[in-house]
Amino acid sequence: AYQTLWDEKAGRFAACRAEGELKMDIYAGHANSLALLYGLADRKQEPRVLDYVAARLDDTRALAQARIAHYFLYYTLSMLLERGRTSDAERVIRDCWGYMKHRGAWTLWETLERGNAGEGSMCHGWSAAPTALLMEHTLGIRPATAGKPNELIFAPQAATVTWARGVYPHPLGAVEVEWALEAGVVRARLSVPRGVKVEVSAKALIAGRQLPMVADMKRRS
């Protein structure tokens, strides 16, 4: 059914149909982000759809006007990271959340435009996408398999970040992680509580390259 929204000439999905006609004059960043995230675009469509979404994210004015609101950016950023478009994801985080930081915000705004004017929700939980994504991808620690919370994978993914340090909260104890890029090798240190299994990837995706990774893992009793 989603394919009925495809427009071959435009190389993207329309946001909707009205009276049987594709509405190509309506912003469609959401529709195309979801098409990629959930595998609704075929292999031929994917590159064109991805270019469309990336171009929309270059438009900071559109972002400020909440065409892709902060809550929805969780889905868009997840899609970019899954496809290795890490630099695009990091740029959007800096453009949106970095802007809030530079404006002195100590909580997360719902949208840039209204937050900049001191309006709307100024403490918005749904705007917390980087909190999860920086942990899962940049720091690189996340569940390895759904339904098995004690099995984690460590696989950093970054484009402009060359080191990261953080703590992954776990019911059995904190998983402490630190990594840094040194002479073409990612060197990492992990402190893991007993009962938690961490699978360390042989390589890390840094600046678009698969780089070798050396990890020193300390297990705590």
Side-chain angles (χ1 to χ4, degrees):
Y2 213 88
Q3 288 294 330
T4 63
L5 297 175
W6 177 254
D7 184 284
E8 178 62 27
K9 183 178 180 180
R12 65 172 176 85
F13 294 94
C16 63
R17 280 181 175 271
E19 298 180 352
E21 298 294 329
L22 293 176
K23 296 295 291 182
M24 302 304 295
D25 57 341
I26 298 176
Y27 184 80
H30 301 74
N32 287 274
S33 293
L34 293 177
L36 291 168
L37 182 62
Y38 294 111
L40 302 175
D42 64 33
R43 290 185 179 180
K44 291 183 178 180
Q45 294 168 341
E46 277 203 8
R48 301 173 71 187
V49 174
L50 187 54
D51 287 344
Y52 171 81
V53 174
R56 304 289 81 70
L57 296 175
D58 271 334
D59 186 352
T60 54
R61 182 179 178 184
L63 288 171
Q65 292 173 342
R67 292 193 177 180
I68 298 185
H70 286 159
Y71 91 89
F72 192 86
L73 279 174
Y74 174 80
Y75 302 101
T76 301
L77 291 169
S78 296
M79 176 274 294
L80 291 172
L81 289 166
E82 284 185 4
R83 279 162 175 73
R85 298 287 286 258
T86 314
S87 59
D88 289 326
E90 290 178 2
R91 174 176 50 77
V92 171
I93 291 173
R94 288 191 175 99
D95 286 348
C96 294
W97 285 269
Y99 178 83
M100 283 188 278
K101 178 183 177 182
H102 292 314
R103 291 287 295 171
W106 56 278
T107 54
L108 301 173
W109 303 344
E110 181 178 7
T111 69
L112 291 182
E113 185 177 43
R114 282 178 285 172
N116 197 40
E119 301 173 351
S121 174
M122 302 294 285
C123 185
H124 206 69
W126 283 7
S127 295
T131 305
L133 298 177
L134 290 175
M135 176 76 71
E136 296 169 1
H137 296 274
T138 309
L139 188 61
I141 191 80
R142 58 187 181 273
T145 306
K148 295 184 178 181
N150 294 344
E151 297 182 10
L152 307 177
I153 186 169
F154 175 56
Q157 176 183 354
T160 59
V161 177
T162 57
W163 74 272
R165 181 174 62 218
V167 175
Y168 180 90
H170 191 279
L172 297 179
V175 179
E176 301 172 5
V177 179
E178 181 176 3
W179 66 262
L181 178 60
E182 300 176 3
V185 177
V186 176
R187 301 191 181 277
R189 291 182 297 183
L190 296 90
S191 178
V192 183
R194 184 173 59 184
V196 176
K197 178 182 178 182
V198 178
E199 176 187 348
V200 177
S201 175
K203 295 186 177 181
L205 180 61
I206 308 296
R209 295 183 297 160
Q210 292 284 354
L211 298 178
M213 184 161 62
V214 177
D216 177 18
M217 188 181 305
K218 175 184 177 182
R219 295 197 175 276
R220 306 192 309 272
S221 60

